[in-house]
Amino acid sequence: MRYAEPQTVEEGVALLASTEHARCLAGGASLVAMMHAGHAAPAMLVSLHRIQELSAITETPEGLWVGAMVRHRTVAADTRLRGAMRVVRSAAEQLAHPAIRNMATVGGSVGLADPNTEIPVALVAASAQVEVAGPSGRRLVPVESLFVDRFQTSLGRDELITRIFIPRGPEGAVGHHLRFSRVSGDYPTVSISLVLAMEGATCRQARVAVGCCGPVPLHVAAADQRLVGTPLGEQDIAEAGQLLARAASPVDDVRGSAEYRRLLIPRLLGRAVSLAREPAHG
Amino acid sequence: MADKIPLSLTINGTTHTLAVPPERTLLDVLREDLRATGTRRGCDQGSCGACMVLVDGEPVFSCLSLALPLRDRAITTIEGVEQGNALHPVQQALVQHGAVQCGFCMSGIVITAKALLDRNPHPTVEEVRQALGSNVCRCSGYAKVVEAIASVGGRP
Ligand SMILES: Cc1cc2nc3c(=O)[nH]c(=O)nc-3n(C[C@H](O)[C@H](O)[C@H](O)COP(=O)(O)OP(=O)(O)OC[C@H]3O[C@@H](n4cnc5c(N)ncnc54)[C@H](O)[C@@H]3O)c2cc1C
Ligand code: FES
Ligand code: FES
C-alpha cells in the first residue's frame, strides 16, 4: 500500500486520479476498521489531514460552510449552527461517544454513506449541498443526490469532498435530530432529522429525513407536504409518519426488525417535532 | 509488502524515531515496536475502548489511528498517566472503590476518565456514563467504576 499526504486539494485529486483503488483517509474511524476486517484494501491512502482548507468553517449571510475534515466534536460545539442549521449540530452531539466524535469527520461521514449513521440524515433535512473537487474543478451537489446506495456515493474515483454548505433555512426555522438506540452510544435503530418553520400555530415548511430505514436517508416529499399548513396535531404527525413508514425499506438486524423500525417512525416523528418546538431549544 | 516510511512520534513526552508501513496503527507501534503493552488490544474495531490513548489531550482509539498522520501530535498512553511515582487520582479512586476486576479494560478506562476530568473537572454521574460509552468492561462491573470516577471530581 502507498501513502501520501498532499498539501492541497488539487494535489489530492491528482493522486486519486493517478492510482486505481486509491482511497481518501480522513479520521480513519471507519476506513481503518474496514481494513482490519478485510472489507477494504486500498492500493493507496490519500491522507487529507494536511490540506488546511478542509478544516475551515466559514460563515456567510446564507449559511455555514463546513470543511470536510472538521470533526464531529467541533460541529457539536459550534453555536453558529442555530435555527434550521441546528439539526446538524444536534446530530453531531448525539453521534456515538467522545472518542468517535473526536476522530471522525463530517466529510468521512458523507464519503462513507452508511445509512445507519446520523450526519447524512441531518444533512438531507438541512438541504445541504456538498462541494466536490475533481480533475475538472469543483461542483456543488445537493446532498440527496450524493447518496446513491448503501456505502455508495455518486463521487467519481478521482473526486473528493472539500466542504459542505448548510443553508440558514427559512426565517424562524428550527432543526432537531432524534436518535433511538437501545444501548446509548451504539448506532441508532432509527433516527429522524427535521427542520420546521412555523407561522403562528401553523407549519409553513417541513423537511423530514429518516435514518436506518433504507439504503440512503429516507426523504418523502409527500410526508413533508402532509405537515405543511397544519398545526402539527397528532393526526397530522401520524399520517405523515405513515407515509414515511410505507416508503421505508428497513432491514432486520441486531438493532431491530424491519417491522419494529416501521412502527418506530411515526412515534419518533412525534417526539422529534415536540423537541424541535421546545421554546428553549436552539 | 509496503515500503516503510520514516516517522517520529512523541509519546508521553519522549520522541521515538521509527520506520513504519502505512497501514501500521498506533496500537501496533505501541505494542509491537515499542513494547509498551499497557495499551491493550481488544477488538481492533473501535468497539471496546481497551486501546484508548490521548492525542493532544483527547481520547482516540489507537486501533483505528494509523501512525503516520500522528506525526507532530502529543500522544499520552497509560504509561504516561502516573504522576512521578504516584498513581493518578483516577487510578487511586478505582483502587479505593474496588472497581477493578481482571483489569483488561482498565488502561482504556483510566485514559477515557482522565480526558473527561481534564476537560470537565466535576462531571456528573451521567456525564461519566456518557464519556465511558466508548469503553467495554467484559467483567461488566460498571457501577463502581462510574462511582470511582465521579468521586474524583467531588460529585459522588
Ligand atoms: C465504533 C464506532 C461507532 C460509531 N457510531 C456511530 C454512531 O453512533 N452514529 C454515527 O452516525 N456514526 C457512527 N460511527 C461512524 C462514524 O460516523 C464514521 O466512522 C465517521 O464519520 C467516518 O469519518 P472518518 O473521518 O473517520 O472517515 P474515514 O474512516 O477516514 O473514511 C470513511 C470513508 O469516507 C471516505 N472519505 C473520507 N473523507 C472523504 C472526503 N473528504 N472525500 C471523499 N471521500 C472521503 C473514505 O475514503 C472512506 O471510504 C461509528 C464508527 C465507529 C468506528
Ligand atoms: S481495540 Fe481499539 S476499540 Fe477495541
Ligand atoms: S475489569 Fe475485566 S474487562 Fe473490565
Side-chain angles (χ1 to χ4, degrees), chain B residues 39-53:
Chain B
T39 306
R40 314 288 194 211
R41 187 191 307 274
C43 63
D44 248 355
Q45 286 292 317
S47 302
C48 76
C51 67
M52 202 72 78
V53 300

Side-chain angles (χ1 to χ4, degrees), chain A residues 141-155:
Chain A
V141 195
V143 69
E144 252 181 293
S145 63
L146 203 83
F147 300 122
V148 296
D149 205 344
R150 261 166 231 289
F151 296 98
Q152 207 181 307
T153 67
S154 58
L155 288 182

Side-chain angles (χ1 to χ4, degrees), chain A residues 39-54:
Chain A
H39 298 319
M44 171 158 71
L45 287 180
V46 178
S47 172
L48 304 180
H49 75 285
R50 290 196 190 274
I51 308 181
Q52 274 176 7
E53 70 162 287
L54 301 185

Side-chain angles (χ1 to χ4, degrees), chain A residues 7 15 47 53 65 87 125 186-187 203 208 222 242 260 274 277:
Chain A
Q7 308 261 354
L15 284 161
S47 172
E53 70 162 287
W65 289 94
V87 66
D186 189 16
Y187 286 90
C203 175
V208 180
Q242 284 314 319
Y260 180 55
S274 39
R277 296 181 68 189

Side-chain angles (χ1 to χ4, degrees), chain A residues 92-107:
Chain A
E93 277 170 350
Q94 298 172 62
L95 191 159
H97 39 65
I100 286 292
R101 294 199 287 272
N102 195 39
M103 297 180 71
T105 64
V106 174

Side-chain angles (χ1 to χ4, degrees), chain A residues 1-3 5 25 27-29 32-37 45 47 49-50 71 73 97-100 102-103 184, chain B residues 2 5 22-23 25 44-46 52 58-61 63-66 68-69 71-73 119 130-131 133-134:
Chain A
M1 190 175 71
R2 287 163 59 210
Y3 175 83
E5 288 181 354
L25 173 73
V32 175
M34 284 154 68
M35 285 162 57
H36 288 324
L45 287 180
S47 172
H49 75 285
R50 290 196 190 274
R71 287 170 300 161
R73 162 181 166 222
H97 39 65
I100 286 292
N102 195 39
M103 297 180 71
S184 158
Chain B
I5 301 175
E23 62 271 23
T25 62
D44 248 355
Q45 286 292 317
M52 202 72 78
E58 292 294 337
V60 305
F61 298 114
C63 72
L64 299 183
S65 303
L66 296 185
L68 286 168
R71 269 191 284 249
D72 315 326
R73 311 287 296 274
R119 186 178 55 219
Q130 288 291 329
S134 49

Side-chain angles (χ1 to χ4, degrees), chain A:
Chain A
M1 190 175 71
R2 287 163 59 210
Y3 175 83
E5 288 181 354
Q7 308 261 354
T8 66
V9 167
E10 290 64 35
E11 273 175 62
V13 167
L15 284 161
L16 289 173
S18 72
T19 317
E20 196 103 18
H21 306 301
R23 205 100 178 236
C24 292
L25 173 73
S30 288
L31 184 54
V32 175
M34 284 154 68
M35 285 162 57
H36 288 324
H39 298 319
M44 171 158 71
L45 287 180
V46 178
S47 172
L48 304 180
H49 75 285
R50 290 196 190 274
I51 308 181
Q52 274 176 7
E53 70 162 287
L54 301 185
S55 297
I57 302 185
T58 327
E59 194 174 16
T60 72
E62 291 77 37
L64 221 61
W65 289 94
V66 179
M69 287 296 282
V70 171
R71 287 170 300 161
H72 299 312
R73 162 181 166 222
T74 308
V75 173
D78 198 320
T79 52
R80 289 173 297 182
L81 291 168
R82 286 188 298 272
M85 300 183 288
R86 181 77 174 78
V87 66
V88 181
R89 183 174 171 210
S90 164
E93 277 170 350
Q94 298 172 62
L95 191 159
H97 39 65
I100 286 292
R101 294 199 287 272
N102 195 39
M103 297 180 71
T105 64
V106 174
S109 272
V110 176
L112 184 65
D114 176 349
N116 295 322
T117 59
E118 348 263 341
I119 299 295
V121 187
L123 292 176
V124 167
S127 308
Q129 309 250 3
V130 180
E131 187 186 75
V132 173
S136 49
R138 301 197 184 194
R139 62 193 175 102
L140 208 53
V141 195
V143 69
E144 252 181 293
S145 63
L146 203 83
F147 300 122
V148 296
D149 205 344
R150 261 166 231 289
F151 296 98
Q152 207 181 307
T153 67
S154 58
L155 288 182
R157 74 164 180 87
D158 47 9
E159 288 186 313
L160 63 84
I161 299 159
T162 46
R163 55 182 184 160
I164 290 145
F165 177 66
I166 306 167
R168 231 167 257 287
E171 181 70 27
V174 289
H176 192 73
H177 179 81
L178 178 68
R179 76 201 300 273
F180 173 78
S181 65
R182 287 198 270 196
V183 180
S184 158
D186 189 16
Y187 286 90
T189 304
V190 173
S191 69
I192 292 204
S193 282
L194 52 77
V195 169
L196 295 173
M198 304 298 290
E199 199 176 287
T202 307
C203 175
R204 279 294 153 232
Q205 276 198 50
R207 200 171 156 88
V208 180
V210 183
C212 314
C213 283
V216 299
L218 176 68
H219 174 231
V220 177
D224 296 346
Q225 281 318 308
R226 178 62 190 81
L227 298 172
V228 172
T230 75
L232 301 178
E234 249 174 64
Q235 188 67 23
D236 307 316
I237 288 167
E239 286 180 17
Q242 284 314 319
L243 288 168
L244 287 162
R246 274 203 292 277
S249 48
V251 295
D252 293 314
D253 68 16
V254 290
R255 298 187 177 86
S257 66
E259 197 42 40
Y260 180 55
R261 287 189 158 100
R262 279 207 186 82
L263 288 170
L264 274 178
I265 295 173
R267 312 202 51 162
L268 290 179
L269 178 61
R271 198 160 154 62
V273 167
S274 39
L275 285 168
R277 296 181 68 189
E278 271 178 18
H281 188 82

